[in-house]
Amino acid sequence: MLAAMCVGCGETSDPTRLLVVVTTDFEVPGELAAVHAQVGPEAGCDACSAEFALSGTERHEMPLSFVIAPRDGDASRPIALQLEGRDERGAAIVVRTVRTSFVAGSTARVVVHLERACEARTCTTAGLTCVAGDCRGDEVAPEIFDGYGPGDELRDAGVRDAGVRDAGEHDAGGGEDAQVEVVDAGDAGTVEPSDGGTSPRSCEGLDGRQQIDPDGAGASPPFWTWCLDGWTLLLKVDGGSPRMAFTNDEWVTSTAAPFGTEMPGAVEDAMLPSYWSLPVRELRVVMREGATSRDQVFPLLGEGLPVTLVSAVRDDVPVEVGGTLAEWTSLVGTTAVQGEACTRVGIPAQAPDGDPRVRVRIGIVASSQSDCSQASGWAGIGASVAGQAGCSTFGNTAGGARLCGNPPNRREAFPRFALVYGR
């Protein structure tokens, strides 16, 4: 037993406790009907778990919070917390694990987001959990939060809410040596971009689904996008789909025509308004292969930075992208590109010079010939590959492929789902 919980218990003399704040971007109660909290591995322990209904007459509203207190006053034990968002049938649709600890003699707080990007996504490696659609470490450092009162649990928690109220306490039963005090924020799960009603210009300092407005008070309205550690999602490319091939004019249209969703967990082609409107200096490219994610950061090179990505792709501004052969191929997770004699990295990358049969919107093309006369492989996003003598052609638009060379080193495609973030 790592910690014990009970709901609706009275105050204890020991001030040591952990305040858990739960937020979500699922529809409540339409998609999320309940939140189940389990502390420690002992599923049969009544005081170790609690179920918070989000529908019906005794419903809790999101965001919600509860308190975990140490069993037998032992604050030295680590806390292993698992939260499940469940549908109306009781099936778990999203799971988040957290490893944290008490702060002896104080109330500490952690904020846990049950997010759509992690729907039905399982991280099988111990110590990892789904965050922003990726498997990341589940350890969260608690922050001191003494002196809170009902309705204060969201204060400075990384979520800003325009209408916090106390919905009271709800008794769900439990044991006698710990407490879970439920204080609802009372706004059915909606979280405003800021208390002042204005939107930030980028994802700087933000995570998760956010509303941003790159031109501030300009004519363009704010829009929703996905933020990852301060990076703003610009586009997604499903390597198994032909839509985002190099030849697709959607890459170079000057008029914003966004499509797809901003949710990183949705495997689809997508170009978000930020592709046309957010000036950036560097790109963060993420490639997924099943449950495995790999990412690299590449600087934009040239004058006039920052620029919108569409301006760089259209060559309105002479900007290229950096990166080495090793960095680009590491995204694919294999030695997809062979032929270090000649590498062309950029926006776009293409070879050979006079007859660009192999072209990639953002990435690298390599050749085993010093004159770049034959492309041996590519890695990146937005690819189109035409026939070369003795080589193979593939239809995957993201990831990479071996095209030419000795038979063991060619004729193999590595399609990947790619996401491009900027800042």
Side-chain angles (χ1 to χ4, degrees):
M1 173 74 69
L2 300 179
M5 300 193 298
C6 76
V7 177
C9 300
E11 291 292 326
T12 64
S13 58
D14 184 1
T16 302
R17 51 189 178 180
L18 181 74
L19 177 65
V20 181
V21 179
V22 186
T23 66
T24 188
D25 58 359
F26 282 97
E27 181 183 341
V28 177
E31 296 174 307
L32 218 60
V35 173
H36 180 82
Q38 173 73 41
V39 182
E42 299 181 43
C45 167
D46 290 338
C48 299
S49 64
E51 183 93 5
F52 305 109
L54 303 178
S55 61
T57 56
E58 298 297 322
R59 59 175 283 182
H60 305 288
E61 295 185 347
M62 294 289 285
L64 65 82
S65 66
F66 59 88
V67 169
I68 302 172
R71 167 171 278 191
D72 301 324
D74 185 359
S76 65
R77 297 176 179 177
I79 300 170
L81 172 67
Q82 177 172 290
L83 290 173
E84 290 184 1
R86 297 179 173 180
D87 62 18
E88 59 184 7
R89 300 170 301 167
I93 60 175
V94 61
V95 177
R96 175 79 187 272
T97 61
V98 172
R99 289 181 299 143
T100 187
S101 60
F102 293 108
V103 178
S106 300
T107 296
R109 178 187 60 185
V110 295
V111 180
V112 184
H113 190 50
L114 299 179
E115 52 194 316
R116 190 185 304 274
C118 293
E119 183 175 3
R121 186 167 175 81
T122 302
C123 300
T124 57
T125 303
L128 297 183
T129 192
C130 183
V131 179
D134 293 326
C135 289
R136 302 186 188 179
D138 62 2
E139 190 168 355
V140 178
E143 57 175 326
I144 300 297
F145 195 64
D146 280 331
Y148 82 98
D152 289 338
E153 70 276 17
L154 293 179
R155 174 161 51 86
D156 300 325
V159 287
R160 292 162 298 210
D161 194 281
V164 176
R165 66 173 174 84
D166 175 23
E169 296 182 1
H170 303 272
D171 189 358
E176 298 179 352
D177 57 353
Q179 64 179 10
V180 173
E181 174 190 2
V182 180
V183 185
D184 295 321
D187 67 343
T190 58
V191 178
E192 302 300 330
S194 74
D195 289 343
T198 59
S199 300
R201 293 200 172 203
S202 71
C203 283
E204 182 178 359
L206 302 175
D207 255 317
R209 186 172 183 261
Q210 302 285 345
Q211 194 173 50
I212 67 171
D213 189 3
D215 73 342
S220 299
F223 56 84
W224 290 98
T225 189
W226 192 265
C227 302
L228 176 63
D229 298 332
W231 294 82
T232 303
L233 183 61
L234 307 177
L235 60 93
K236 300 186 291 185
V237 180
D238 178 3
S241 165
R243 177 168 186 171
M244 297 303 290
F246 188 98
T247 51
N248 186 350
D249 288 340
E250 288 176 301
W251 283 102
V252 293
T253 178
S254 59
T255 303
F259 59 88
T261 71
E262 68 275 7
M263 305 308 294
V267 179
E268 61 181 353
D269 295 316
M271 301 184 87
L272 304 184
S274 49
Y275 176 74
W276 287 271
S277 63
L278 181 70
V280 297
R281 293 181 179 273
E282 53 187 347
L283 302 179
R284 181 175 181 177
V285 181
V286 180
M287 287 196 183
R288 291 183 185 162
E289 178 188 8
T292 301
S293 291
R294 306 176 183 91
D295 70 286
Q296 286 282 351
V297 174
F298 302 107
L300 295 183
L301 309 172
E303 298 181 359
L305 295 172
V307 298
T308 61
L309 187 52
V310 69
S311 294
V313 171
R314 285 170 50 87
D315 203 26
D316 297 335
V317 181
V319 170
E320 292 293 338
V321 68
T324 65
L325 179 64
E327 289 172 334
W328 280 102
T329 55
S330 70
L331 278 171
V332 186
T334 183
T335 53
V337 179
Q338 297 186 349
E340 295 84 350
C342 174
T343 58
R344 297 295 175 88
V345 60
I347 305 176
Q350 59 187 37
D353 293 341
D355 185 12
R357 296 171 182 170
V358 181
R359 298 182 292 174
V360 183
R361 283 292 178 190
I362 304 172
I364 193 169
V365 174
S367 175
S368 58
Q369 308 297 318
S370 59
D371 61 357
C372 298
S373 60
Q374 190 177 63
S376 301
W378 64 270
I381 62 172
S384 290
V385 180
Q388 300 179 105
C391 301
S392 300
T393 61
F394 298 104
N396 60 305
T397 56
R402 296 174 182 153
L403 302 175
C404 304
N406 296 324
N409 298 329
R410 70 182 184 207
R411 300 180 181 179
E412 188 171 5
F414 306 98
R416 301 289 185 260
F417 174 52
L419 305 95
V420 180
Y421 295 81
R423 70 177 182 188

